[in-house]
Amino acid sequence: MTTLSSDTRQLVDLAQARLVPTYRQRELILDHGQGATLWDIDGRDYIDFAAGIAVNALGYGDADVLAALQEQAGRIWHTSNIFYSEPPLRLADELIAASGFAQRVFFCNSGAEANEAAIKLARRWATRQARAPERRTILTFEGSFHGRTLATVTATAQPKYQAGFEPLPGGFRYAPYNDIVAFDAAFGDDVAAVLIEPVQGEGGVVPADPAFLHFVRRRCDEAGALLIFDEIQTGMGRTGRLWAHEHAGVKPDVMTLAKGLGAGFPIGAMLVAGDVAQVLDFGSHGTTFGGNPLAAAVARVALRKLSSSAIQDNVGARAKQLRDGLAALNTRLGGVFQGLRGHGLMLGAVLAGKWTPRIGEILDAAAANGVLVLQAGPEVLRFVPPLVIREDEMSEGLDRLERALVSLPSVPAA
Ligand SMILES: *Cc1c(COP(=O)(O)O)cnc(C)c1O
């Protein structure tokens, strides 16, 4: 491990003493960035395969984002939702046009809030249905991740995120992901909505089977339940399409966005089809900061750039380079990974059995060798770099990852 400078040591000590210890950060203090490269306060550089957890889709130092932020900052920062400002209205219109299904948008500040809005919308909508006003259940999937508020952590069907926070709100049920028969058995007349990630992110980068998504859509249509796609991580071009559900050709009734939407500025959104949105009528829901003009001004630039063919072509080319590079590294090192999965620049490398217990060491060694990588689930290295990452940054990052793996004490034969 590199020794820390006294400034870094002091700040890390401060963090460890003063912050609620909900995270375990690497011991480095990031300072600035350009493209997909970051620098810490000691001047060390890192290739960024993490992008602030799939958030900084335009990387660092994007001139258009900066110009939009500065221009808006000189006008007005906040109006509340009691009064209009222009950026969120333009953004709503542009998101609806890009969505291919939605008619209305609700803005908020984070992914969890967007899912919370979707859950409330589904319950309220079900209440108004003449056929079955008693429908309350939100059906979600094992291995999912939908946020950390009490309702969204309950939607998140992973016990490790829920333990100790009981009693959890009622009205949630779980089914196995990608299992048509089990989903069908779990579905029932009490289901108001199905909430699903088109590619599970935190759960280990697991893409939905297109046939599975088609089945879920059909079942929701037959029963008159809403289909909610959580595209908080997968949306905004991350998977090589603007929306991940385009890979399967299945449209939702409701879609939630956050992460890449603001390219690093906090913003969330819920997009709603048809007249479903009407049930959240005057006074039924709200949030003070939602649709903040600074956030919306930045998100407008993010949407325009991330839906361009230039970015989408780069995602395709860099995704191939990343897959090929990881496969070659895997061959040279004799089987670090047992498989690669995902779409576009949302890629998971599943560690081989003997490497799985060492995932923490791998992430530490990667950072020490100048490349930032994330974990997803207990055994998956997750690659979600900025979508603007250049070819030379990608190959440098792969070289650094290989150096990191080689630097680890050798692994005993399985
Ligand atoms: C990150 C994430 C969330 C939660 O978003 P926050 O902004 O952290 O509240 C919800 N769903 C998915 C799929 C995510 O990746």
Side-chain angles (χ1 to χ4, degrees):
M1 281 280 101
T2 42
T3 46
L4 303 183
S5 74
S6 59
D7 281 352
T8 297
R9 180 77 265 161
Q10 193 209 352
L11 288 165
V12 167
D13 288 347
L14 197 59
Q16 287 170 356
R18 292 288 180 258
L19 298 179
V20 174
T22 47
Y23 306 102
R24 194 182 70 88
Q25 287 94 340
R26 308 253 99 68
E27 296 194 336
L28 53 94
I29 309 290
L30 293 173
D31 184 66
H32 63 280
Q34 192 61 46
T37 306
L38 283 162
W39 283 265
D40 68 16
I41 59 169
D42 299 324
R44 280 181 307 229
D45 60 279
Y46 302 87
I47 301 294
D48 184 14
F49 284 166
I53 320 188
V55 167
N56 302 318
L58 293 170
Y60 305 91
D62 183 280
D64 299 319
V65 164
L66 191 59
L69 184 66
Q70 286 174 335
E71 205 276 329
Q72 188 59 41
R75 291 174 181 276
I76 193 162
W77 291 20
H78 176 74
T79 61
S80 83
N81 287 299
I82 310 300
F83 306 100
Y84 291 128
S85 69
E86 185 169 347
L89 303 178
R90 300 271 180 223
L91 176 62
D93 197 40
E94 289 155 3
L95 275 173
I96 285 165
S99 76
F101 79 93
Q103 259 96 63
R104 290 182 183 268
V105 180
F106 176 82
F107 288 118
C108 51
N109 312 287
S110 68
E113 267 188 288
N115 283 335
E116 191 86 24
I119 292 164
K120 286 181 74 175
L121 172 89
R123 291 261 176 86
R124 184 96 163 182
W125 175 81
T127 305
R128 302 279 172 87
Q129 299 301 297
R131 249 201 307 168
E134 68 284 0
R135 289 165 183 248
R136 298 284 86 194
T137 302
I138 311 294
L139 191 66
T140 67
F141 295 89
E142 289 164 14
S144 63
F145 185 86
H146 299 296
R148 303 287 201 145
T149 63
L150 271 172
T152 59
V153 89
T154 306
T156 295
Q158 297 197 59
K160 69 175 178 187
Y161 292 111
Q162 302 173 342
F165 299 118
E166 303 82 0
L168 300 172
F172 290 86
R173 193 158 66 241
Y174 312 132
Y177 194 66
N178 277 337
D179 184 334
I180 287 179
V181 174
F183 165 76
D184 199 30
F187 200 91
D189 288 342
D190 61 328
V191 172
V194 174
L195 169 60
I196 186 168
E197 296 158 273
V199 182
Q200 287 191 335
E202 306 302 308
V205 191
V206 187
D209 191 340
F212 182 67
L213 285 185
H214 279 279
F215 186 82
V216 171
R217 174 76 272 181
R218 201 172 75 228
R219 209 66 191 78
C220 287
D221 287 342
E222 285 165 5
L226 295 178
L227 177 55
I228 306 167
F229 282 162
D230 178 344
E231 292 241 24
I232 288 164
Q233 188 159 161
T234 54
M236 301 302 289
R238 170 62 50 197
T239 67
R241 301 286 189 89
L242 190 56
W243 318 119
H245 65 254
E246 293 175 56
H247 293 286
V250 176
K251 287 189 175 158
D253 303 301
V254 180
M255 175 166 74
T256 52
L257 301 175
K259 294 205 162 88
L261 176 57
F265 205 103
I267 181 170
M270 170 180 69
L271 280 64
V272 189
D275 55 7
V276 174
Q278 305 290 352
V279 300
L280 285 185
D281 49 11
F282 175 61
S284 65
H285 192 54
T287 177
T288 302
F289 291 118
N292 173 279
L294 290 177
V298 169
R300 290 187 67 198
V301 178
L303 177 62
R304 176 168 56 77
K305 296 189 90 161
L306 294 173
S307 42
S308 70
S309 54
I311 297 270
Q312 291 307 298
D313 291 350
N314 191 59
V315 171
R318 297 290 78 76
K320 180 171 188 320
Q321 186 187 357
L322 178 57
R323 278 180 180 273
D324 292 350
L326 288 172
L329 171 160
N330 200 34
T331 306
R332 283 193 295 276
L333 299 189
V336 181
F337 310 124
Q338 52 174 303
L340 300 177
R341 62 195 184 205
H343 290 303
L345 286 176
M346 182 174 178
L347 197 71
V350 188
L351 291 172
K354 63 184 176 182
W355 286 90
T356 303
R358 308 183 70 188
I359 190 160
E361 270 178 86
I362 295 173
L363 299 179
D364 285 337
N369 281 274
V371 57
L372 304 182
V373 184
L374 297 170
Q375 179 172 356
E379 51 170 20
V380 177
L381 296 184
R382 174 172 37 164
F383 298 83
V384 283
L387 307 186
V388 295
I389 190 169
R390 294 188 315 261
E391 184 174 6
D392 61 305
E393 289 174 315
M394 183 65 83
S395 57
E396 179 65 24
L398 284 162
D399 287 349
R400 291 178 185 194
L401 179 64
E402 182 157 353
R403 279 207 289 281
L405 289 164
V406 169
S407 78
L408 292 171
S410 69
V411 182

